[in-house]
């Protein structure tokens, strides 16, 4: 006896087909469940060298380039200042970092982040740190030239573009201005000034030339503070758009306002000193309340995760603070990768296995300026061990512990020099 199957209407078959199609599409979209993270570029160049025959007077050196002897001119320039470091290895690293920084700096004071492709631009942040590094190593004239160039790039509204061409022109890539430059430039100018002789006519003349940019930048920083005491959401050193207020903007602005206020006090600009001090106090209170409540994460939220910018709230940018110290220790623990270096942040969307040398050097500077010599040496030794064959400091160190991306990177070279200098003598801290 044959059993008849019930006849299925056409609409029922169509529904079954639709369900099956949906399941197939969902499975395809969910496989793999998480899209792959972006990888890290292999080492593109291992260093740079002065070469009058090369475009721009700078020659790129391949990843496997051997160390080169410093020229007589470079040796004389190094001898005119100081090469920090307590060991021969540290002094060797410092000497190469200084020469690399000098090669990346044009005669007009334009500091290239690196001498390759998309890095061959002037970032105001990197330039300000380069000026501080020149200052602390006794090359005050070089620092002043960098600061003058940076002042000349300032926009009419008191801010800076995210980056500039080496000739000072706009890049035109649609990047929004980064408000953190309004902190870094006044801070670097203050840092330079307190290490000079104020009675020197050349120093007074340079400060007079820089003062309009400092005043406009500090006023813009003060005016940017909202009702909650914090600056608005703006791209910071992560170089990404954001709709959140970040520590990467708030911390530099705090250092810049404090530096500008002290500079005003030292030069008799009482009204500016009061205005910027008041703004700094308001910002400091907001940072403690909004960021400190959640352990000084990237944003005023517990879910945003740790951010390497926390070290900019401590020495040498601010006096020691127990809450910041605890957050910095936790952040270092959370962001240290198996290769030994530091990731920019917990929520970083780049390669999660590649360490960034500017951030690692930032923790070295924080440790050195805080009196933690052993901690600073550990970071500095790691940085020295992960340089290129030519001895330059790269932007990144990949999952295999190899230098990656480009070398030298101006920001890393400058930060390492500041950290090494802080090991030898205390760096000035903006009062606040």
């Amino acid at each position: 006896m044959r059993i008849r199957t019930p006849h299925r209407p056409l609409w029922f078959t169509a529904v079954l087909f639709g369900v099956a199609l949906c399941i197939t599409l969902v499975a395809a979209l969910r496989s793999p469940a998480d899209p792959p993270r972006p990888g890290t570029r292999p080492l593109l160049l291992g260093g740079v060298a002065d070469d009058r025959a090369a475009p721009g007077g700078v020659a790129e050196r391949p990843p496997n380039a051997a160390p080169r002897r410093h020229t007589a001119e470079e040796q004389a320039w190094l001898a005119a200042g100081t090469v920090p470091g307590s060991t021969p290895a540290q002094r060797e690293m410092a000497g190469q970092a200084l020469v690399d920084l000098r090669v990346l700096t044009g005669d007009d004071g334009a500091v290239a982040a690196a001498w390759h492709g998309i890095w061959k631009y002037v970032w105001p942040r990197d330039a300000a740190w380069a000026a501080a590094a020149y200052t602390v190593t006794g090359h005050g004239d070089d620092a002043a030239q960098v600061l003058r160039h940076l002042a000349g790039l300032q926009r009419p509204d008191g801010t800076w573009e995210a980056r500039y061409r080496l000739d000072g022109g706009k890049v035109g890539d649609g990047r929004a201005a980064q408000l953190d430059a309004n902190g870094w430039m006044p801070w670097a100018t203050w840092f330079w000034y307190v290490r000079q002789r104020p009675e020197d006519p050349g120093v007074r003349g340079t400060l007079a030339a820089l003062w309009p940019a400092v005043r406009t930048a500090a006023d813009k920083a003060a005016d940017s503070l909202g009702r909650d005491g914090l600056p608005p959401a703006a791209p910071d050193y992560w170089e990404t758009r954001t709709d959140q207020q970040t520590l990467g903007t708030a911390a530099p602005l705090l250092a810049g306002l404090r530096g500008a206020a002290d500079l005003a006090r030292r030069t008799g600009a009482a009204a500016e000193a009061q205005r910027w001090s008041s703004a700094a106090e308001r910002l400091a209170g907001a940072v403690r309340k909004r960021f400190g409540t959640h352990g000084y994460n990237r944003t005023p939220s517990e879910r945003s995760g740790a951010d390497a910018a926390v070290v900019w709230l401590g020495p040498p940018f601010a006096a020691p603070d127990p809450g910041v110290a605890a957050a910095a220790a936790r952040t270092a623990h959370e962001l240290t990768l198996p290769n030994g270096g530091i990731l920019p942040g917990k929520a970083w969307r780049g390669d999660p296995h590649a360490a960034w040398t500017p951030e690692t050097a930032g923790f070295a500077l924080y440790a050195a300026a805080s009196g933690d010599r052993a901690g600073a040496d550990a970071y500095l030794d790691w940085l020295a061990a992960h340089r290129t064959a030519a001895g330059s400091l790269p932007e990144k160190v990949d999952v295999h512990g190899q230098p990656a991306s480009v070398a030298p990177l101006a920001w890393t070279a400058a930060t390492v020099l500041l950290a090494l200098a802080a090991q030898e003598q205390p760096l000035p801290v903006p009062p606040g």
Side-chain angles (χ1 to χ4, degrees):
M1 179 178 178
R2 189 167 60 182
I3 300 175
R4 291 178 176 270
T5 56
H7 177 69
R8 292 173 178 171
L10 184 60
W11 66 266
F12 185 80
T13 303
V15 169
L16 288 177
F17 177 80
V19 171
L21 180 61
C22 289
I23 293 173
T24 301
L25 289 173
V26 169
L29 291 173
R30 291 176 57 87
S31 180
D34 295 314
R37 292 287 190 107
T40 295
R41 296 172 185 262
L43 189 62
L44 299 171
L45 72 156
V48 290
D50 277 316
D51 185 351
R52 297 186 183 279
V58 180
E60 295 185 5
R61 309 191 73 212
N64 58 353
R68 67 177 179 88
R69 293 177 61 85
H70 295 156
T71 66
E73 182 185 7
E74 289 169 344
Q75 291 175 350
W77 180 78
L78 288 172
T82 59
V83 179
S86 58
T87 67
Q90 288 184 349
R91 287 192 293 274
E92 189 275 327
M93 176 170 62
Q96 186 60 52
L98 268 168
V99 169
D100 283 342
L101 199 58
R102 184 171 183 252
V103 173
L104 292 173
T105 304
D107 292 339
D108 62 352
V111 179
W115 202 260
H116 187 83
I118 61 173
W119 293 267
K120 201 184 293 186
Y121 297 100
V122 177
W123 270 265
R125 173 200 60 234
D126 300 39
W129 282 66
Y134 282 137
T135 296
V136 82
T137 55
H139 300 284
D141 290 343
D142 296 273
Q145 186 71 345
V146 171
L147 291 169
R148 280 192 289 265
H149 183 268
L150 190 53
L153 297 176
Q154 190 179 41
R155 304 195 313 181
D157 69 351
T159 64
W160 279 265
E161 300 286 348
R163 57 179 184 164
Y164 295 85
R165 297 199 312 261
L166 296 183
D167 63 5
K170 294 182 180 180
V171 178
D173 60 356
R175 296 192 185 198
Q178 293 178 203
L179 192 57
D180 59 352
N182 285 63
W184 292 130
M185 190 278 177
W187 167 80
T189 303
W190 167 85
F191 191 90
W192 166 80
Y193 183 77
V194 299
R195 296 291 294 252
Q196 310 306 309
R197 291 184 298 119
E199 69 277 6
D200 186 329
V203 170
R204 293 201 300 269
T206 297
L207 182 60
L210 296 174
W211 182 250
V214 170
R215 183 181 61 240
T216 307
D219 278 343
K220 182 67 175 182
D223 291 343
S224 75
L225 305 184
R227 295 179 62 183
D228 60 358
L230 293 178
D236 60 10
Y237 77 109
W238 280 28
E239 305 283 346
T240 56
R241 291 184 179 275
T242 178
D243 59 358
Q244 300 291 313
Q245 298 160 310
T246 69
L247 198 60
T249 294
L253 289 187
L254 182 56
L257 283 168
R258 285 171 168 169
D262 189 56
L263 196 58
R265 281 191 292 268
R266 290 170 180 264
T267 56
E272 286 87 350
Q274 179 59 46
R275 184 165 69 248
W276 300 332
S277 290
S278 298
E281 290 176 6
R282 185 165 170 243
L283 176 55
V287 168
R288 282 193 299 270
K289 179 180 179 181
R290 299 291 307 285
F291 288 94
T293 301
H294 304 292
Y296 295 103
N297 284 339
R298 174 162 176 74
T299 74
S301 167
E302 186 176 3
R303 295 176 296 175
S304 63
D307 189 317
V310 67
V311 296
W312 299 337
L313 293 176
F317 305 102
D321 177 271
V324 171
R330 174 184 57 82
T331 298
H333 176 74
E334 291 186 10
L335 300 185
T336 298
L337 297 174
N339 67 16
I342 299 287
L343 200 64
K346 200 72 172 177
W348 177 247
R349 298 303 299 170
D351 186 346
H353 308 296
W356 286 67
T357 60
E359 285 75 0
T360 307
F363 274 88
L365 173 58
Y366 172 79
S370 300
D372 179 10
R373 188 176 191 87
D377 279 337
Y379 287 120
L380 290 167
D381 289 346
W382 183 88
L383 288 159
H386 291 84
R387 293 181 294 161
T388 67
S392 295
L393 289 153
E395 181 183 51
K396 303 176 191 176
V397 175
D398 68 19
V399 66
H400 305 294
Q402 297 300 311
S405 193
V406 290
L409 192 75
W411 191 15
T412 302
T415 310
V416 164
L417 289 164
L418 286 165
L420 288 168
Q423 292 280 64
E424 297 184 347
Q425 60 179 338
L427 299 183
V429 176

